[in-house]
Structure formats: structure tokens, C-alpha cells
Amino acid sequence: MERPQQLDYAAVRAAAARIGGGVRPVAVTPAEEGVWYALEYLQHTGSFKARGARNFLAAHHEAGTVPEAGVTIASGGNAGLACAWAARALSVPATVFLPANAPRVKVDRLRGYGADVRLVGDRYAEALAACREFAAASGALSSHAYDHPLIAAGAGTLLDEIREALPGLDTVVVAVGGGGLFAGVATAAREHGVRVVAAEPENCRALNAALEADRVVDVEVDSVAADSLGATRVSQDALDAAREKNVTSVLVPDAQITAARRALWEEHRIVVEAGAATALAALRGAAEPLGERVAVVLCGANTDPSDLTAPPAAT
């Protein structure tokens, strides 16, 4: 299958038709006056990544372009889990590369989804290099954590589900790492005149830096949310989407992210990743209301909750 030339709303609608019945429709619940939470952390594999992974593989499956060697990806995080889950659902072999020092719980979960897990080196770059070598030698289909129109279009299906559950939606707040979720959601939001607030940690600002430079640039990453939002650069699709008038880019300090994550636990008993809490931190740190009907996307919950449930340290 050739890579689609552009990410547009038609691609998002095609993704919705492709993955319908294969992913969980998002639950939307009121949080406070004028604010609703989109509980996407309840999605298969614990994050929105399942949408893009399912769309990517389903599109190739329809086109007959999934090789016998299956699919491969370098990721020990949510993208790897989503790829392995989507591959199992379509009976496609999946080979996932990650550093040898990756958390055992992630390795076990990947193997639980039936993936062939390859542990290589002690850095992501080494796992990625091994993944590329494997794809070249085996002919396996290479997937990506975020930088592909099919991945972004799958993620973008979330926006129409939120609008269906919340008529009159005027603003959606999403956290941004590499930009797959943001690019897809912003593409669908533009179709309906919905404003998008793109939230990033102050020290994981790949999208914000790209807007500032007017081109995709590499950035240093150092944040409490770096495990899920720590992409060193955003996709071109994300930058293109961020240039539209309906998008606002905001930066959030780590202290506000940590406070938002704890508030979700203390006020609602919701456990999410720091990356997901970044969206709520942007809302809570805003100098003025972001809209009259605002949805905050809580996009992932693959995290260790022990720091939330542990009693406060003695003083």
C-alpha cells in the first residue's frame, strides 16, 4: 500500500468505518461546570494508540499488503502494545523491538498479546536500528508510533465520538508528544469548527518549537511526562495541523502536570499517565475559560499508580 498523500477528514471517516466495532467508543463524563472528560484511557491496551494501530493494520489487510512476516515496530511503550494488540486481532504476526532494560511488565504484556519481543541494546535508538534491519531482511511491514497518516487518522476518530456524546462541543484539549493524536483530532475538529488546545510539557515541546521555527525541529526532552510525550520531533502532519486557525499551542510546567494527575486520583479516583494529565493541567492553568463546552482527553493509563495510592510521607 502506498502511503496516503495527506491526512484529511475523509481519511478520518474512512478510519472510523474501518475500525468500528474493533475499538471501544470513548466514554464522556461531566467533570465540572462546562468541562467534560473523554475517558480514552479505557481504550484497549490502555491508550488511544489502539485506534491508529488498528486502522494502520486494517487498511493494509484490506489492500492485501500485509506480508507473511507480519508487522514490526520499535516501541516499548503504548505504541508497541497497541501494535501487538491490533496484530493479534487480525491474526498478523508482530515483532516488537525494545531496549533490554525495558520494564518487565511491558515485556510481559507484549508477549501476552502474542508478540515476538526482541530485546536489543540499552537505548531506543538501538532497538529502532534493529527493527529497521529486521524489516529490510524479512520484508515485515514497518509501523510507527505516530508519524503516519493512517495512524493519525485512526486517532482522529476520537473527535467525532466526543462530539456525538457531547453536542455543542466547542473546544477539545489534547496532550501532544509526537503529534499523532493531535494531528488526527485537529483534522476532524477543523471540519466541525471545534477549537483544539495542544498541550505540551515545557521541556517536551516538539510541536511548540516547530511552530516557533516554522519547520520540524529536534528538541531536548526532560519532563515528568517524557515517558509518553517525549518525542524529539513532531510529524509534519502535526505541524501542518497546528498552523490552522482553530489550534492553540500551550506549554505546561511539570509541577502543574503532577498536580493535575494527583487531582484526578483524589477527586475522581482516575489513574492516568502524566502525559494524559498534561491536558488537564493546561485547562487548569489557563488564564481564562477555554470555552463553554470543553472536552479534556485523558488519553492513557499505562502507569504505576503506587505514587498516587501511597500515604503521604511523614513530616
Side-chain angles (χ1 to χ4, degrees), residues 145-172:
Y146 60 88
D147 193 4
H148 194 286
L150 287 170
I151 298 291
T157 60
L158 179 62
L159 191 280
D160 279 348
E161 291 181 12
I162 295 173
R163 288 185 66 251
E164 183 176 349
L166 182 57
L169 171 74
D170 57 58
T171 305
V172 61

Side-chain angles (χ1 to χ4, degrees), residues 279-302:
L280 179 59
L283 173 77
R284 292 195 164 198
E288 57 187 36
L290 298 181
E292 295 183 358
R293 295 176 73 79
V294 181
V296 178
V297 178
L298 302 180
C299 57
N302 290 317

Side-chain angles (χ1 to χ4, degrees), residues 200-289:
E200 296 175 280
E202 287 181 336
N203 295 319
C204 282
R205 54 183 294 266
L207 179 65
N208 186 268
L211 282 169
E212 189 176 89
D214 199 29
R215 60 186 177 86
V216 173
V217 294
D218 289 322
V219 298
E220 297 292 328
V221 297
D222 180 17
S223 168
V224 66
D227 60 335
S228 56
L229 301 184
T232 57
R233 59 169 44 204
V234 292
S235 67
Q236 185 63 49
D237 282 333
L239 176 56
D240 291 344
R243 288 170 169 154
E244 298 292 335
K245 294 180 180 179
N246 68 319
V247 174
T248 302
S249 169
V250 301
L251 299 177
V252 187
D254 274 7
Q256 289 185 14
I257 295 171
T258 300
R261 181 171 176 263
R262 178 159 289 279
L264 283 167
W265 167 250
E266 293 179 345
E267 297 170 14
H268 304 285
R269 284 303 186 257
I270 290 175
V271 179
V272 296
E273 303 164 17
T278 299
L280 179 59
L283 173 77
R284 292 195 164 198
E288 57 187 36

